[in-house]
Amino acid sequence: MKKLIAVDVDGTLVNSKGEITERTRDALISATKVGHEVMIVSGRATYALRHQAEALAFDKFGGILSSFNGGELFDFKEKRVLASHKMDYNLAKEILEFSKNLDLELMIFDGNKILTDRPDGYYVKRESEIIDMDIKPVKDLRDGLDFAPNKFLFAQDPDKIDKPTQKLMKKFGHVTEQVKSMKFYYEVMPLGLSKGSSIIEACKIFGIDIKDTIVFGDQMNDMSMFEVAGTGVAMANAVDPIKDVADYVTKSNDEDGIAYYLENFVLNKEEK
């Protein structure tokens, strides 16, 4: 039976060094070769997932990128957008206007660039280095945005981020999806989008029953995947709420947890 195998990136697909190990790589490529559909599911921009896609040989054997927390589905081999969900432009401008008074670094992703009005911000520079995308400074970004984005990424020190983001939730929580994806990142997206919604959308595109989905994750922004998937697999390093709803808790991302599960329950290999 064909499965949709969806993997989160940070803390799941990559280890604590930010690397996809050979064992995890081989297990996912093997799953693709025997007919399963492998999908990388992330809050990152589509372009920012290119290295992971290439490592898993998506360009050779096929594979799907779900980016922006469900905002876009991209066929990496065919270089084709399967679905894209943008924020309402007028709403986006209203959020940007409101955010001027909040102590938050702002990042907007446009193709292969990170747009920001704080190019020297700690988290802006950090994100640029991690995802290998160049920073494009835009001084009047919160006044002059000229396109509808897939999402906004706000950042701040963990001990300072809650107060301003609570204001965003109070003001726009009823018309957007908002999630604290890491202790220093807060994402604002179009209403109705999530990693879970991208799982449902991909199943419809590929004709896969939702019961035949396996998802791997570790953080709270993965919760929506666990709520819809046939099988939810939490990493050993996952936060407790994810472990609590998981069907199975595998080994950690530093112990090839994805490979361990696939070898034993999908590929029917003995543990290495």
Side-chain angles (χ1 to χ4, degrees):
M1 183 67 68
K2 183 176 182 179
K3 303 283 188 182
L4 176 69
I5 300 170
V7 297
D8 167 55
V9 178
D10 298 303
T12 303
L13 176 62
V14 300
N15 61 18
S16 57
K17 296 179 180 180
E19 302 168 339
I20 302 175
T21 66
E22 182 177 359
R23 183 181 174 190
T24 292
R25 175 185 180 275
D26 288 348
L28 286 166
I29 291 176
S30 294
T32 301
K33 285 182 176 180
V34 298
H36 301 302
E37 198 71 50
V38 174
M39 183 165 77
I40 296 174
V41 186
S42 175
R44 294 184 183 185
T46 302
Y47 184 78
L49 296 172
R50 66 196 185 282
H51 296 316
Q52 290 78 22
E54 290 165 356
L56 297 180
F58 278 13
D59 50 345
K60 182 177 181 180
F61 301 114
I64 305 302
L65 304 180
S66 169
S67 53
F68 300 115
N69 279 323
E72 186 167 283
L73 287 177
F74 185 77
D75 185 319
F76 192 79
K77 183 179 180 181
E78 300 299 327
K79 300 297 185 283
R80 183 167 62 95
V81 175
L82 302 177
S84 185
H85 307 282
K86 307 282 189 179
M87 187 174 293
D88 177 81
Y89 179 60
N90 290 326
L91 174 60
K93 290 196 296 182
E94 187 179 350
I95 294 171
L96 289 179
E97 176 66 28
F98 185 80
S99 73
K100 290 179 183 179
N101 299 317
L102 304 178
D103 185 20
L104 295 168
E105 294 179 23
L106 166 68
M107 287 170 267
I108 302 175
F109 301 89
D110 184 20
N112 62 354
K113 296 289 192 295
I114 301 174
L115 309 186
T116 183
D117 53 0
R118 298 188 190 178
D120 294 325
Y122 172 79
Y123 292 103
V124 171
K125 292 191 290 186
R126 177 187 183 278
E127 182 72 358
S128 173
E129 292 173 0
I130 290 175
I131 66 178
D132 190 22
M133 287 179 67
D134 292 335
I135 296 169
K136 181 180 178 180
V138 182
K139 187 176 180 179
D140 63 344
L141 183 60
R142 303 190 202 215
D143 292 313
L145 183 70
D146 59 0
F147 67 95
N150 287 98
K151 76 167 187 178
F152 294 128
L153 176 61
F154 294 100
Q156 185 50 277
D157 294 343
D159 57 347
K160 297 180 180 179
I161 195 170
D162 287 343
K163 187 175 181 179
T165 55
Q166 285 169 2
K167 293 180 180 179
L168 281 171
M169 176 60 76
K170 183 177 180 179
K171 178 70 174 178
F172 300 105
H174 65 296
V175 290
T176 61
E177 295 294 339
Q178 301 186 24
V179 63
K180 189 176 184 180
S181 54
M182 299 186 76
K183 61 183 179 180
F184 41 76
Y185 281 161
Y186 194 79
E187 309 193 23
V188 180
M189 301 155 292
L191 189 66
L193 293 187
S194 66
K195 289 186 175 184
S197 70
S198 75
I199 299 296
I200 295 172
E201 191 166 36
C203 283
K204 291 178 180 178
I205 291 172
F206 295 103
I208 297 174
D209 193 303
I210 195 69
K211 297 193 300 295
D212 295 318
T213 56
I214 304 171
V215 302
F216 294 84
D218 71 308
Q219 289 293 328
M220 288 305 296
N221 67 330
D222 298 320
M223 180 65 77
S224 60
M225 292 200 298
F226 283 72
E227 291 172 344
V228 303
T231 302
V233 183
M235 310 303 288
N237 51 285
V239 295
D240 287 339
I242 293 294
K243 290 180 180 178
D244 291 342
V245 301
D247 298 292
Y248 187 89
V249 178
T250 188
K251 295 185 177 182
S252 76
N253 62 322
D254 285 324
E255 301 171 299
D256 293 298
I258 291 175
Y260 176 83
Y261 182 88
L262 293 178
E263 289 165 359
N264 285 279
F265 300 103
V266 177
L267 301 173
N268 296 319
K269 291 182 179 180
E270 294 182 359
E271 181 183 0
K272 294 181 181 180

